[in-house]
Each structure stands twice: as C-alpha cells, then as structure tokens.
Amino acid sequence: MDHRTVRRTLLALPLSIALSLPLAACGSDEPAESAEVAVEEVAAEISTDLSVRPEVSASDAQVPTELLLEDVVVGDGAEATEGATAQVKYVGAFYETGEEFDASWDQGEDYTLPVPLGAGRVIPGFEQGIEGMQVGGRRVIAIPSELAYGDQPPPGIPAGADLVFVVDLVSVD
C-alpha cells in the first residue's frame, strides 16, 4: 500500500462513518411522523358522538406547514360554502401539546359560534377548514401559524403557535 492509497482510505473513512450513523439532529434514528399522519391519528381518537365534547391529544409529529383536514364524522346535511354562515361548536388546542385554549362548549352545550364564510371574521385556517363540511359533520383542522395568528396573537396564545381545532357543523344559514 503506497501513500496515495493510505491517503484515499483516510479521506473516505469519515464519509463511511458519517453514512452509518443515525441523524443526530433529528433526535432519533426513526423518521419523523408527518403532520398528515398525525392529524389522522388525532382524528381517530376523537369521539364520533357529536353530543360529547371532543378532546384533543398532544402530537409529537411534525407541525403542519399547510392546512390539514380530517373528517371524524362526515355530515349529510347542507354544505358550508362561501357566503353562508356556518353555526359551529369547536374546541381549539395547541398542536404540539393538545392543551386547550378555547372552546365554544364552555358557553354551554347548545351554544354555537356563527362563522360568516368569506367575511374574514375568524382566522383564515379556521374559516377555510369549515368550507366544504356538511351539517352533522365533525372535522379536525390542523392550522399552521401562518393561517392562524402568526406573530400577532391575542393574549394567551404564543406567537408562532400552530393550532388544531375540532369543529362540529351544526347548521348553515
């Protein structure tokens, strides 16, 4: 073995070691779960009984980079479309922790929030997530910060927070 062979071997050694190691930056050698799969898993744990207040679980999956929707119950009534007012019941939580920050259920079991679709009166992700639902449906809506409050949140919500809502569509006016 001459000095060129030794030199090439020494240069290749760090690369072969690096390729055999797990990705330390990820914190695990397991691939990170996608946000889409996580939303499906959250939805699978939500009650299909619309008379029961839904509970959101924490997720250690990747945070959503786009609006993600997963129907828990597909309704069979009128569809929520732009220009209509959707009457909804909801629970809002932080995506990563599942900690609840707001819920219409706190106003009473029969209280609904009117959401005029297309009017921009609620965060964009919430409004966009309701469109296309049918009355009698329950949907999980995962909202990235950019479609939520971004860097201008109300008190009690940190800047840049990714959110998840469970929304029941009660009626469409």
Side-chain angles (χ1 to χ4, degrees), residues 14-35:
L15 178 60
S16 65
I17 291 171
L19 292 175
S20 67
L21 294 175
L23 296 174
C26 293
S28 167
D29 59 355
E30 295 294 318
E33 182 179 24
S34 76

Side-chain angles (χ1 to χ4, degrees), residues 123-147:
I123 59 174
F126 189 79
E127 186 173 317
Q128 292 169 20
I130 294 170
E131 287 186 25
M133 285 185 76
Q134 290 181 276
V135 170
R138 175 173 277 181
R139 179 176 281 177
V140 173
I141 306 170
I143 306 173
S145 174
E146 301 79 37
L147 291 174

Side-chain angles (χ1 to χ4, degrees), residues 55-148:
E55 293 184 26
V56 179
S57 59
S59 176
D60 59 356
Q62 294 175 352
V63 296
T65 57
E66 62 186 5
L67 186 69
L68 298 175
L69 312 173
E70 185 70 28
D71 287 322
V72 176
V73 175
V74 176
D76 57 7
E79 183 176 339
T81 58
E82 188 170 339
T85 297
Q87 298 289 335
V88 300
K89 294 169 83 169
Y90 68 90
V91 170
F94 298 113
Y95 181 80
E96 294 172 303
T97 65
E99 178 187 350
E100 192 176 298
F101 62 85
D102 190 19
S104 65
W105 292 78
D106 294 340
Q107 305 297 317
E109 198 171 302
D110 295 327
Y111 173 81
T112 59
L113 174 73
V115 180
L117 300 174
R121 294 193 185 153
V122 296
I123 59 174
F126 189 79
E127 186 173 317
Q128 292 169 20
I130 294 170
E131 287 186 25
M133 285 185 76
Q134 290 181 276
V135 170
R138 175 173 277 181
R139 179 176 281 177
V140 173
I141 306 170
I143 306 173
S145 174
E146 301 79 37
L147 291 174

